[in-house]
Amino acid sequence: MTKVATIESIRTEAGGTATADFYTHALALGDHVRAAASDAPTSGFRGFTLSLVVSQPSVVNAFIDAAADTGGKILAPPKKSLWGYGGTVEAPDGTVVTVAASKKKDSGPADETVDSIVLQLGVDDVAASKDFYTEHGFAVAKSYGSKYVEFATGDITLAVLKRKMLAKNAGVPPEGEGSHRVTIVSAAGPFTDPDGFVWEPN
């Protein structure tokens, strides 16, 4: 039986103590996201986001407030939308993080836990990325033609969509160049995908 590839953790770069505290304490991500030092040239949008799915609006508010108190910059204050309730922050290392709930109203006390983590990669060709990742052992969980593909990759879900759409969803300009400043840790690596995202084994 072919082993299905999973993501073990994400390493964001140009980090340090402040960034480590941001992911560990403000966003309760534990060892799922780690910070590392990097001086690789980069500017603008780095082509990926971390999306945290939580239970209800009060939890979104709690995480966004904690992020702002721990060195994060609020890019989009939490608000209701057609799909639920959410907001966007920029981590101290420049990573764009969205926090969202499908519910628009609270249904109980705030349980400040993350229900799921989604690493969204902005790509040039969604179909080509889908083929690339399936060839590397990743199982498709959801697929919406050439617009969006989600893979079953364990505690951290991998998703690919057009770069411009990802930036629009996050509320940031799509322009950017240089290093993505992120490394994805997985037993499926080492490799670099068609859009320059680096994967390494633990």
Side-chain angles (χ1 to χ4, degrees), residues 22 27 29 45 48-54 60 63-64 75-76 83 85-91 95-101 114 116-118 120 166-172:
F22 176 86
L27 299 182
L29 292 175
F45 182 46
F48 76 96
T49 67
L50 289 177
S51 179
L52 311 184
V53 181
V54 299
V60 173
F63 277 123
I64 295 292
L75 300 178
W83 46 263
Y85 183 88
T88 306
V89 296
E90 182 180 273
T95 297
V96 175
V97 182
T98 63
V99 185
V114 176
S116 65
I117 307 167
V118 184
Q120 299 187 100
L166 177 59
K168 180 180 179 181
N169 292 346
V172 298

PDB file of all heavy atoms in Angstrom, residues 22 27 29 45 48-54 60 63-64 75-76 83 85-91 95-101 114 116-118 120 166-172:
ATOM      1  N   PHE A  22       4.727  34.424  19.088  1.00  0.00           N
ATOM      2  CA  PHE A  22       3.497  34.734  18.359  1.00  0.00           C
ATOM      3  C   PHE A  22       2.765  33.447  17.976  1.00  0.00           C
ATOM      4  O   PHE A  22       1.573  33.295  18.242  1.00  0.00           O
ATOM      5  CB  PHE A  22       3.843  35.546  17.109  1.00  0.00           C
ATOM      6  CG  PHE A  22       2.669  35.859  16.223  1.00  0.00           C
ATOM      7  CD1 PHE A  22       1.879  36.968  16.468  1.00  0.00           C
ATOM      8  CD2 PHE A  22       2.351  35.046  15.146  1.00  0.00           C
ATOM      9  CE1 PHE A  22       0.792  37.273  15.655  1.00  0.00           C
ATOM     10  CE2 PHE A  22       1.271  35.337  14.326  1.00  0.00           C
ATOM     11  CZ  PHE A  22       0.491  36.447  14.579  1.00  0.00           C
ATOM     12  N   LEU A  27      -1.324  32.224  18.963  1.00  0.00           N
ATOM     13  CA  LEU A  27      -2.165  31.408  18.079  1.00  0.00           C
ATOM     14  C   LEU A  27      -2.258  29.942  18.497  1.00  0.00           C
ATOM     15  O   LEU A  27      -2.928  29.156  17.827  1.00  0.00           O
ATOM     16  CB  LEU A  27      -1.644  31.499  16.638  1.00  0.00           C
ATOM     17  CG  LEU A  27      -1.649  32.910  16.036  1.00  0.00           C
ATOM     18  CD1 LEU A  27      -1.155  32.858  14.594  1.00  0.00           C
ATOM     19  CD2 LEU A  27      -3.035  33.540  16.102  1.00  0.00           C
ATOM     20  N   LEU A  29      -0.363  27.343  18.327  1.00  0.00           N
ATOM     21  CA  LEU A  29      -0.039  26.374  17.277  1.00  0.00           C
ATOM     22  C   LEU A  29       1.025  25.357  17.698  1.00  0.00           C
ATOM     23  O   LEU A  29       1.319  24.433  16.930  1.00  0.00           O
ATOM     24  CB  LEU A  29       0.419  27.117  16.018  1.00  0.00           C
ATOM     25  CG  LEU A  29      -0.685  27.917  15.321  1.00  0.00           C
ATOM     26  CD1 LEU A  29      -0.115  28.722  14.165  1.00  0.00           C
ATOM     27  CD2 LEU A  29      -1.802  26.997  14.842  1.00  0.00           C
ATOM     28  N   PHE A  45       3.806  40.289  -0.989  1.00  0.00           N
ATOM     29  CA  PHE A  45       3.116  39.047  -0.632  1.00  0.00           C
ATOM     30  C   PHE A  45       4.014  37.851  -0.930  1.00  0.00           C
ATOM     31  O   PHE A  45       4.582  37.745  -2.017  1.00  0.00           O
ATOM     32  CB  PHE A  45       1.819  38.954  -1.434  1.00  0.00           C
ATOM     33  CG  PHE A  45       0.985  37.735  -1.135  1.00  0.00           C
ATOM     34  CD1 PHE A  45       0.734  37.335   0.163  1.00  0.00           C
ATOM     35  CD2 PHE A  45       0.435  36.988  -2.177  1.00  0.00           C
ATOM     36  CE1 PHE A  45      -0.051  36.221   0.444  1.00  0.00           C
ATOM     37  CE2 PHE A  45      -0.353  35.878  -1.917  1.00  0.00           C
ATOM     38  CZ  PHE A  45      -0.592  35.491  -0.605  1.00  0.00           C
ATOM     39  N   PHE A  48       1.774  32.694   0.147  1.00  0.00           N
ATOM     40  CA  PHE A  48       1.105  31.664   0.953  1.00  0.00           C
ATOM     41  C   PHE A  48       0.436  32.318   2.143  1.00  0.00           C
ATOM     42  O   PHE A  48       0.781  33.431   2.545  1.00  0.00           O
ATOM     43  CB  PHE A  48       2.097  30.594   1.429  1.00  0.00           C
ATOM     44  CG  PHE A  48       2.971  31.036   2.576  1.00  0.00           C
ATOM     45  CD1 PHE A  48       2.645  30.723   3.890  1.00  0.00           C
ATOM     46  CD2 PHE A  48       4.126  31.769   2.337  1.00  0.00           C
ATOM     47  CE1 PHE A  48       3.444  31.133   4.946  1.00  0.00           C
ATOM     48  CE2 PHE A  48       4.935  32.192   3.395  1.00  0.00           C
ATOM     49  CZ  PHE A  48       4.602  31.865   4.697  1.00  0.00           C
ATOM     50  N   THR A  49      -0.527  31.621   2.712  1.00  0.00           N
ATOM     51  CA  THR A  49      -1.144  32.057   3.964  1.00  0.00           C
ATOM     52  C   THR A  49      -1.339  30.847   4.861  1.00  0.00           C
ATOM     53  O   THR A  49      -1.401  29.703   4.393  1.00  0.00           O
ATOM     54  CB  THR A  49      -2.527  32.722   3.755  1.00  0.00           C
ATOM     55  OG1 THR A  49      -3.466  31.742   3.296  1.00  0.00           O
ATOM     56  CG2 THR A  49      -2.445  33.876   2.763  1.00  0.00           C
ATOM     57  N   LEU A  50      -1.436  31.115   6.145  1.00  0.00           N
ATOM     58  CA  LEU A  50      -1.880  30.117   7.114  1.00  0.00           C
ATOM     59  C   LEU A  50      -3.320  30.456   7.462  1.00  0.00           C
ATOM     60  O   LEU A  50      -3.620  31.601   7.812  1.00  0.00           O
ATOM     61  CB  LEU A  50      -1.019  30.145   8.370  1.00  0.00           C
ATOM     62  CG  LEU A  50       0.410  29.631   8.251  1.00  0.00           C
ATOM     63  CD1 LEU A  50       1.132  29.802   9.583  1.00  0.00           C
ATOM     64  CD2 LEU A  50       0.417  28.174   7.825  1.00  0.00           C
ATOM     65  N   SER A  51      -4.199  29.495   7.359  1.00  0.00           N
ATOM     66  CA  SER A  51      -5.605  29.708   7.677  1.00  0.00           C
ATOM     67  C   SER A  51      -5.965  28.853   8.884  1.00  0.00           C
ATOM     68  O   SER A  51      -5.811  27.625   8.853  1.00  0.00           O
ATOM     69  CB  SER A  51      -6.482  29.331   6.480  1.00  0.00           C
ATOM     70  OG  SER A  51      -7.849  29.516   6.782  1.00  0.00           O
ATOM     71  N   LEU A  52      -6.420  29.509   9.938  1.00  0.00           N
ATOM     72  CA  LEU A  52      -6.817  28.806  11.157  1.00  0.00           C
ATOM     73  C   LEU A  52      -8.335  28.807  11.248  1.00  0.00           C
ATOM     74  O   LEU A  52      -8.969  29.861  11.208  1.00  0.00           O
ATOM     75  CB  LEU A  52      -6.223  29.497  12.389  1.00  0.00           C
ATOM     76  CG  LEU A  52      -4.732  29.821  12.338  1.00  0.00           C
ATOM     77  CD1 LEU A  52      -4.289  30.413  13.672  1.00  0.00           C
ATOM     78  CD2 LEU A  52      -3.910  28.608  11.981  1.00  0.00           C
ATOM     79  N   VAL A  53      -8.904  27.636  11.352  1.00  0.00           N
ATOM     80  CA  VAL A  53     -10.360  27.493  11.467  1.00  0.00           C
ATOM     81  C   VAL A  53     -10.702  27.221  12.920  1.00  0.00           C
ATOM     82  O   VAL A  53     -10.145  26.301  13.542  1.00  0.00           O
ATOM     83  CB  VAL A  53     -10.877  26.357  10.576  1.00  0.00           C
ATOM     84  CG1 VAL A  53     -12.393  26.244  10.689  1.00  0.00           C
ATOM     85  CG2 VAL A  53     -10.477  26.587   9.115  1.00  0.00           C
ATOM     86  N   VAL A  54     -11.611  28.041  13.469  1.00  0.00           N
ATOM     87  CA  VAL A  54     -12.011  27.913  14.866  1.00  0.00           C
ATOM     88  C   VAL A  54     -13.527  27.764  14.955  1.00  0.00           C
ATOM     89  O   VAL A  54     -14.221  27.787  13.941  1.00  0.00           O
ATOM     90  CB  VAL A  54     -11.518  29.112  15.703  1.00  0.00           C
ATOM     91  CG1 VAL A  54      -9.990  29.187  15.678  1.00  0.00           C
ATOM     92  CG2 VAL A  54     -12.111  30.418  15.186  1.00  0.00           C
ATOM     93  N   VAL A  60     -12.475  33.694  17.214  1.00  0.00           N
ATOM     94  CA  VAL A  60     -11.772  34.511  16.219  1.00  0.00           C
ATOM     95  C   VAL A  60     -11.273  35.792  16.879  1.00  0.00           C
ATOM     96  O   VAL A  60     -10.096  36.163  16.757  1.00  0.00           O
ATOM     97  CB  VAL A  60     -12.691  34.859  15.026  1.00  0.00           C
ATOM     98  CG1 VAL A  60     -11.991  35.847  14.087  1.00  0.00           C
ATOM     99  CG2 VAL A  60     -13.107  33.606  14.268  1.00  0.00           C
ATOM    100  N   PHE A  63      -8.277  35.248  19.262  1.00  0.00           N
ATOM    101  CA  PHE A  63      -6.999  35.005  18.593  1.00  0.00           C
ATOM    102  C   PHE A  63      -6.476  36.268  17.911  1.00  0.00           C
ATOM    103  O   PHE A  63      -5.274  36.546  17.953  1.00  0.00           O
ATOM    104  CB  PHE A  63      -7.135  33.869  17.571  1.00  0.00           C
ATOM    105  CG  PHE A  63      -7.011  32.502  18.174  1.00  0.00           C
ATOM    106  CD1 PHE A  63      -8.020  31.565  18.027  1.00  0.00           C
ATOM    107  CD2 PHE A  63      -5.883  32.138  18.884  1.00  0.00           C
ATOM    108  CE1 PHE A  63      -7.913  30.296  18.576  1.00  0.00           C
ATOM    109  CE2 PHE A  63      -5.754  30.869  19.445  1.00  0.00           C
ATOM    110  CZ  PHE A  63      -6.779  29.949  19.293  1.00  0.00           C
ATOM    111  N   ILE A  64      -7.346  37.016  17.274  1.00  0.00           N
ATOM    112  CA  ILE A  64      -6.910  38.249  16.613  1.00  0.00           C
ATOM    113  C   ILE A  64      -6.375  39.242  17.649  1.00  0.00           C
ATOM    114  O   ILE A  64      -5.330  39.880  17.439  1.00  0.00           O
ATOM    115  CB  ILE A  64      -8.059  38.877  15.798  1.00  0.00           C
ATOM    116  CG1 ILE A  64      -8.483  37.960  14.636  1.00  0.00           C
ATOM    117  CG2 ILE A  64      -7.657  40.259  15.289  1.00  0.00           C
ATOM    118  CD1 ILE A  64      -7.463  37.814  13.537  1.00  0.00           C
ATOM    119  N   LEU A  75      -4.481  43.158   9.560  1.00  0.00           N
ATOM    120  CA  LEU A  75      -4.676  43.565   8.168  1.00  0.00           C
ATOM    121  C   LEU A  75      -6.152  43.737   7.838  1.00  0.00           C
ATOM    122  O   LEU A  75      -6.517  44.608   7.044  1.00  0.00           O
ATOM    123  CB  LEU A  75      -4.065  42.521   7.225  1.00  0.00           C
ATOM    124  CG  LEU A  75      -2.563  42.269   7.374  1.00  0.00           C
ATOM    125  CD1 LEU A  75      -2.122  41.180   6.402  1.00  0.00           C
ATOM    126  CD2 LEU A  75      -1.761  43.541   7.147  1.00  0.00           C
ATOM    127  N   ALA A  76      -6.991  42.908   8.444  1.00  0.00           N
ATOM    128  CA  ALA A  76      -8.437  42.996   8.245  1.00  0.00           C
ATOM    129  C   ALA A  76      -9.108  42.645   9.563  1.00  0.00           C
ATOM    130  O   ALA A  76      -9.051  41.486   9.990  1.00  0.00           O
ATOM    131  CB  ALA A  76      -8.899  42.057   7.141  1.00  0.00           C
ATOM    132  N   TRP A  83     -19.664  33.675   4.100  1.00  0.00           N
ATOM    133  CA  TRP A  83     -19.258  32.328   4.517  1.00  0.00           C
ATOM    134  C   TRP A  83     -19.074  32.182   6.023  1.00  0.00           C
ATOM    135  O   TRP A  83     -18.869  31.085   6.515  1.00  0.00           O
ATOM    136  CB  TRP A  83     -17.954  31.937   3.819  1.00  0.00           C
ATOM    137  CG  TRP A  83     -16.908  33.008   3.849  1.00  0.00           C
ATOM    138  CD1 TRP A  83     -16.632  33.913   2.871  1.00  0.00           C
ATOM    139  CD2 TRP A  83     -16.005  33.301   4.922  1.00  0.00           C
ATOM    140  NE1 TRP A  83     -15.610  34.751   3.263  1.00  0.00           N
ATOM    141  CE2 TRP A  83     -15.214  34.408   4.508  1.00  0.00           C
ATOM    142  CE3 TRP A  83     -15.789  32.754   6.186  1.00  0.00           C
ATOM    143  CZ2 TRP A  83     -14.223  34.957   5.321  1.00  0.00           C
ATOM    144  CZ3 TRP A  83     -14.803  33.304   6.989  1.00  0.00           C
ATOM    145  CH2 TRP A  83     -14.034  34.393   6.557  1.00  0.00           C
ATOM    146  N   TYR A  85     -17.348  34.263   9.643  1.00  0.00           N
ATOM    147  CA  TYR A  85     -16.797  35.384  10.405  1.00  0.00           C
ATOM    148  C   TYR A  85     -15.286  35.197  10.482  1.00  0.00           C
ATOM    149  O   TYR A  85     -14.796  34.102  10.810  1.00  0.00           O
ATOM    150  CB  TYR A  85     -17.401  35.382  11.808  1.00  0.00           C
ATOM    151  CG  TYR A  85     -16.983  36.539  12.691  1.00  0.00           C
ATOM    152  CD1 TYR A  85     -17.693  37.738  12.677  1.00  0.00           C
ATOM    153  CD2 TYR A  85     -15.890  36.421  13.544  1.00  0.00           C
ATOM    154  CE1 TYR A  85     -17.320  38.802  13.504  1.00  0.00           C
ATOM    155  CE2 TYR A  85     -15.519  37.471  14.375  1.00  0.00           C
ATOM    156  CZ  TYR A  85     -16.237  38.661  14.339  1.00  0.00           C
ATOM    157  OH  TYR A  85     -15.874  39.713  15.155  1.00  0.00           O
ATOM    158  N   GLY A  86     -14.528  36.239  10.164  1.00  0.00           N
ATOM    159  CA  GLY A  86     -13.081  36.075  10.212  1.00  0.00           C
ATOM    160  C   GLY A  86     -12.317  37.367  10.077  1.00  0.00           C
ATOM    161  O   GLY A  86     -12.874  38.426   9.776  1.00  0.00           O
ATOM    162  N   GLY A  87     -11.014  37.288  10.324  1.00  0.00           N
ATOM    163  CA  GLY A  87     -10.120  38.424  10.211  1.00  0.00           C
ATOM    164  C   GLY A  87      -8.740  37.955   9.779  1.00  0.00           C
ATOM    165  O   GLY A  87      -8.468  36.752   9.731  1.00  0.00           O
ATOM    166  N   THR A  88      -7.862  38.914   9.487  1.00  0.00           N
ATOM    167  CA  THR A  88      -6.523  38.598   8.986  1.00  0.00           C
ATOM    168  C   THR A  88      -5.475  39.402   9.732  1.00  0.00           C
ATOM    169  O   THR A  88      -5.659  40.593   9.986  1.00  0.00           O
ATOM    170  CB  THR A  88      -6.415  38.923   7.480  1.00  0.00           C
ATOM    171  OG1 THR A  88      -7.457  38.257   6.772  1.00  0.00           O
ATOM    172  CG2 THR A  88      -5.079  38.478   6.917  1.00  0.00           C
ATOM    173  N   VAL A  89      -4.372  38.735  10.078  1.00  0.00           N
ATOM    174  CA  VAL A  89      -3.252  39.409  10.725  1.00  0.00           C
ATOM    175  C   VAL A  89      -1.955  39.061   9.994  1.00  0.00           C
ATOM    176  O   VAL A  89      -1.870  38.050   9.290  1.00  0.00           O
ATOM    177  CB  VAL A  89      -3.119  39.007  12.216  1.00  0.00           C
ATOM    178  CG1 VAL A  89      -4.323  39.444  13.009  1.00  0.00           C
ATOM    179  CG2 VAL A  89      -2.891  37.510  12.353  1.00  0.00           C
ATOM    180  N   GLU A  90      -0.966  39.922  10.184  1.00  0.00           N
ATOM    181  CA  GLU A  90       0.375  39.651   9.666  1.00  0.00           C
ATOM    182  C   GLU A  90       1.270  39.337  10.852  1.00  0.00           C
ATOM    183  O   GLU A  90       1.355  40.126  11.802  1.00  0.00           O
ATOM    184  CB  GLU A  90       0.907  40.852   8.896  1.00  0.00           C
ATOM    185  CG  GLU A  90       2.286  40.623   8.279  1.00  0.00           C
ATOM    186  CD  GLU A  90       2.779  41.845   7.533  1.00  0.00           C
ATOM    187  OE1 GLU A  90       2.443  41.982   6.344  1.00  0.00           O
ATOM    188  OE2 GLU A  90       3.464  42.684   8.159  1.00  0.00           O
ATOM    189  N   ALA A  91       1.922  38.206  10.817  1.00  0.00           N
ATOM    190  CA  ALA A  91       2.824  37.809  11.897  1.00  0.00           C
ATOM    191  C   ALA A  91       4.061  38.706  11.909  1.00  0.00           C
ATOM    192  O   ALA A  91       4.357  39.386  10.921  1.00  0.00           O
ATOM    193  CB  ALA A  91       3.241  36.349  11.709  1.00  0.00           C
ATOM    194  N   THR A  95       4.394  36.674   7.710  1.00  0.00           N
ATOM    195  CA  THR A  95       3.433  35.663   7.257  1.00  0.00           C
ATOM    196  C   THR A  95       2.007  36.169   7.447  1.00  0.00           C
ATOM    197  O   THR A  95       1.676  36.726   8.490  1.00  0.00           O
ATOM    198  CB  THR A  95       3.615  34.353   8.044  1.00  0.00           C
ATOM    199  OG1 THR A  95       4.928  33.829   7.788  1.00  0.00           O
ATOM    200  CG2 THR A  95       2.582  33.315   7.636  1.00  0.00           C
ATOM    201  N   VAL A  96       1.169  35.964   6.432  1.00  0.00           N
ATOM    202  CA  VAL A  96      -0.233  36.362   6.511  1.00  0.00           C
ATOM    203  C   VAL A  96      -1.034  35.210   7.111  1.00  0.00           C
ATOM    204  O   VAL A  96      -0.972  34.072   6.622  1.00  0.00           O
ATOM    205  CB  VAL A  96      -0.777  36.727   5.112  1.00  0.00           C
ATOM    206  CG1 VAL A  96      -2.277  37.028   5.187  1.00  0.00           C
ATOM    207  CG2 VAL A  96      -0.023  37.930   4.554  1.00  0.00           C
ATOM    208  N   VAL A  97      -1.778  35.501   8.184  1.00  0.00           N
ATOM    209  CA  VAL A  97      -2.567  34.482   8.888  1.00  0.00           C
ATOM    210  C   VAL A  97      -4.025  34.912   8.926  1.00  0.00           C
ATOM    211  O   VAL A  97      -4.340  36.028   9.368  1.00  0.00           O
ATOM    212  CB  VAL A  97      -2.056  34.281  10.333  1.00  0.00           C
ATOM    213  CG1 VAL A  97      -2.862  33.185  11.035  1.00  0.00           C
ATOM    214  CG2 VAL A  97      -0.566  33.947  10.348  1.00  0.00           C
ATOM    215  N   THR A  98      -4.915  34.043   8.473  1.00  0.00           N
ATOM    216  CA  THR A  98      -6.344  34.310   8.588  1.00  0.00           C
ATOM    217  C   THR A  98      -6.922  33.419   9.682  1.00  0.00           C
ATOM    218  O   THR A  98      -6.508  32.272   9.842  1.00  0.00           O
ATOM    219  CB  THR A  98      -7.088  34.043   7.264  1.00  0.00           C
ATOM    220  OG1 THR A  98      -6.980  32.656   6.918  1.00  0.00           O
ATOM    221  CG2 THR A  98      -6.507  34.875   6.133  1.00  0.00           C
ATOM    222  N   VAL A  99      -7.865  33.968  10.439  1.00  0.00           N
ATOM    223  CA  VAL A  99      -8.556  33.219  11.484  1.00  0.00           C
ATOM    224  C   VAL A  99     -10.042  33.330  11.195  1.00  0.00           C
ATOM    225  O   VAL A  99     -10.572  34.441  11.060  1.00  0.00           O
ATOM    226  CB  VAL A  99      -8.248  33.770  12.887  1.00  0.00           C
ATOM    227  CG1 VAL A  99      -8.891  32.879  13.949  1.00  0.00           C
ATOM    228  CG2 VAL A  99      -6.746  33.885  13.118  1.00  0.00           C
ATOM    229  N   ALA A 100     -10.724  32.197  11.063  1.00  0.00           N
ATOM    230  CA  ALA A 100     -12.122  32.242  10.631  1.00  0.00           C
ATOM    231  C   ALA A 100     -12.956  31.158  11.296  1.00  0.00           C
ATOM    232  O   ALA A 100     -12.449  30.113  11.716  1.00  0.00           O
ATOM    233  CB  ALA A 100     -12.198  32.093   9.110  1.00  0.00           C
ATOM    234  N   ALA A 101     -14.260  31.440  11.375  1.00  0.00           N
ATOM    235  CA  ALA A 101     -15.254  30.475  11.854  1.00  0.00           C
ATOM    236  C   ALA A 101     -16.393  30.451  10.845  1.00  0.00           C
ATOM    237  O   ALA A 101     -16.738  31.483  10.271  1.00  0.00           O
ATOM    238  CB  ALA A 101     -15.780  30.871  13.230  1.00  0.00           C
ATOM    239  N   VAL A 114      -7.652  25.739  18.131  1.00  0.00           N
ATOM    240  CA  VAL A 114      -7.700  25.749  16.671  1.00  0.00           C
ATOM    241  C   VAL A 114      -8.249  24.406  16.202  1.00  0.00           C
ATOM    242  O   VAL A 114      -7.695  23.355  16.530  1.00  0.00           O
ATOM    243  CB  VAL A 114      -6.302  26.001  16.075  1.00  0.00           C
ATOM    244  CG1 VAL A 114      -6.340  25.904  14.557  1.00  0.00           C
ATOM    245  CG2 VAL A 114      -5.776  27.357  16.514  1.00  0.00           C
ATOM    246  N   SER A 116      -8.668  23.449  12.925  1.00  0.00           N
ATOM    247  CA  SER A 116      -7.868  22.958  11.809  1.00  0.00           C
ATOM    248  C   SER A 116      -6.938  24.047  11.294  1.00  0.00           C
ATOM    249  O   SER A 116      -7.212  25.243  11.437  1.00  0.00           O
ATOM    250  CB  SER A 116      -8.753  22.441  10.666  1.00  0.00           C
ATOM    251  OG  SER A 116      -9.518  23.484  10.101  1.00  0.00           O
ATOM    252  N   ILE A 117      -5.811  23.613  10.735  1.00  0.00           N
ATOM    253  CA  ILE A 117      -4.802  24.503  10.156  1.00  0.00           C
ATOM    254  C   ILE A 117      -4.699  24.189   8.678  1.00  0.00           C
ATOM    255  O   ILE A 117      -4.549  23.022   8.286  1.00  0.00           O
ATOM    256  CB  ILE A 117      -3.427  24.277  10.810  1.00  0.00           C
ATOM    257  CG1 ILE A 117      -3.511  24.386  12.335  1.00  0.00           C
ATOM    258  CG2 ILE A 117      -2.390  25.244  10.248  1.00  0.00           C
ATOM    259  CD1 ILE A 117      -2.271  23.867  13.046  1.00  0.00           C
ATOM    260  N   VAL A 118      -4.798  25.220   7.847  1.00  0.00           N
ATOM    261  CA  VAL A 118      -4.688  25.025   6.404  1.00  0.00           C
ATOM    262  C   VAL A 118      -3.550  25.891   5.877  1.00  0.00           C
ATOM    263  O   VAL A 118      -3.544  27.105   6.070  1.00  0.00           O
ATOM    264  CB  VAL A 118      -6.000  25.389   5.673  1.00  0.00           C
ATOM    265  CG1 VAL A 118      -5.873  25.087   4.177  1.00  0.00           C
ATOM    266  CG2 VAL A 118      -7.185  24.636   6.270  1.00  0.00           C
ATOM    267  N   GLN A 120      -2.228  27.407   2.719  1.00  0.00           N
ATOM    268  CA  GLN A 120      -2.698  27.708   1.370  1.00  0.00           C
ATOM    269  C   GLN A 120      -1.550  28.276   0.544  1.00  0.00           C
ATOM    270  O   GLN A 120      -0.941  29.282   0.932  1.00  0.00           O
ATOM    271  CB  GLN A 120      -3.853  28.713   1.417  1.00  0.00           C
ATOM    272  CG  GLN A 120      -5.055  28.183   2.190  1.00  0.00           C
ATOM    273  CD  GLN A 120      -6.237  29.114   2.092  1.00  0.00           C
ATOM    274  OE1 GLN A 120      -7.159  28.905   1.317  1.00  0.00           O
ATOM    275  NE2 GLN A 120      -6.224  30.177   2.879  1.00  0.00           N
ATOM    276  N   LEU A 166      -5.816  33.935  -3.799  1.00  0.00           N
ATOM    277  CA  LEU A 166      -5.385  33.793  -2.414  1.00  0.00           C
ATOM    278  C   LEU A 166      -5.141  35.159  -1.782  1.00  0.00           C
ATOM    279  O   LEU A 166      -5.575  35.424  -0.655  1.00  0.00           O
ATOM    280  CB  LEU A 166      -4.116  32.941  -2.344  1.00  0.00           C
ATOM    281  CG  LEU A 166      -3.505  32.753  -0.950  1.00  0.00           C
ATOM    282  CD1 LEU A 166      -4.498  32.099  -0.001  1.00  0.00           C
ATOM    283  CD2 LEU A 166      -2.223  31.927  -1.043  1.00  0.00           C
ATOM    284  N   ALA A 167      -4.463  36.042  -2.509  1.00  0.00           N
ATOM    285  CA  ALA A 167      -4.206  37.381  -1.995  1.00  0.00           C
ATOM    286  C   ALA A 167      -5.511  38.145  -1.782  1.00  0.00           C
ATOM    287  O   ALA A 167      -5.682  38.833  -0.766  1.00  0.00           O
ATOM    288  CB  ALA A 167      -3.296  38.137  -2.958  1.00  0.00           C
ATOM    289  N   LYS A 168      -6.439  38.004  -2.726  1.00  0.00           N
ATOM    290  CA  LYS A 168      -7.735  38.677  -2.596  1.00  0.00           C
ATOM    291  C   LYS A 168      -8.478  38.183  -1.367  1.00  0.00           C
ATOM    292  O   LYS A 168      -9.049  38.976  -0.602  1.00  0.00           O
ATOM    293  CB  LYS A 168      -8.571  38.441  -3.847  1.00  0.00           C
ATOM    294  CG  LYS A 168      -9.940  39.111  -3.813  1.00  0.00           C
ATOM    295  CD  LYS A 168     -10.721  38.840  -5.094  1.00  0.00           C
ATOM    296  CE  LYS A 168     -12.100  39.498  -5.046  1.00  0.00           C
ATOM    297  NZ  LYS A 168     -12.877  39.216  -6.288  1.00  0.00           N
ATOM    298  N   ASN A 169      -8.483  36.865  -1.159  1.00  0.00           N
ATOM    299  CA  ASN A 169      -9.166  36.292   0.005  1.00  0.00           C
ATOM    300  C   ASN A 169      -8.560  36.799   1.316  1.00  0.00           C
ATOM    301  O   ASN A 169      -9.265  36.971   2.313  1.00  0.00           O
ATOM    302  CB  ASN A 169      -9.094  34.762  -0.036  1.00  0.00           C
ATOM    303  CG  ASN A 169      -9.913  34.166  -1.155  1.00  0.00           C
ATOM    304  OD1 ASN A 169     -10.749  34.845  -1.762  1.00  0.00           O
ATOM    305  ND2 ASN A 169      -9.672  32.902  -1.459  1.00  0.00           N
ATOM    306  N   ALA A 170      -7.242  37.022   1.305  1.00  0.00           N
ATOM    307  CA  ALA A 170      -6.552  37.474   2.512  1.00  0.00           C
ATOM    308  C   ALA A 170      -6.612  38.986   2.671  1.00  0.00           C
ATOM    309  O   ALA A 170      -6.253  39.516   3.730  1.00  0.00           O
ATOM    310  CB  ALA A 170      -5.097  37.026   2.477  1.00  0.00           C
ATOM    311  N   GLY A 171      -7.030  39.680   1.606  1.00  0.00           N
ATOM    312  CA  GLY A 171      -7.129  41.133   1.680  1.00  0.00           C
ATOM    313  C   GLY A 171      -5.804  41.855   1.540  1.00  0.00           C
ATOM    314  O   GLY A 171      -5.611  42.931   2.117  1.00  0.00           O
ATOM    315  N   VAL A 172      -4.875  41.245   0.763  1.00  0.00           N
ATOM    316  CA  VAL A 172      -3.563  41.871   0.568  1.00  0.00           C
ATOM    317  C   VAL A 172      -3.272  41.972  -0.929  1.00  0.00           C
ATOM    318  O   VAL A 172      -3.806  41.205  -1.725  1.00  0.00           O
ATOM    319  CB  VAL A 172      -2.444  41.063   1.263  1.00  0.00           C
ATOM    320  CG1 VAL A 172      -2.674  41.013   2.768  1.00  0.00           C
ATOM    321  CG2 VAL A 172      -2.343  39.648   0.694  1.00  0.00           C
TER     322      VAL A 172
END
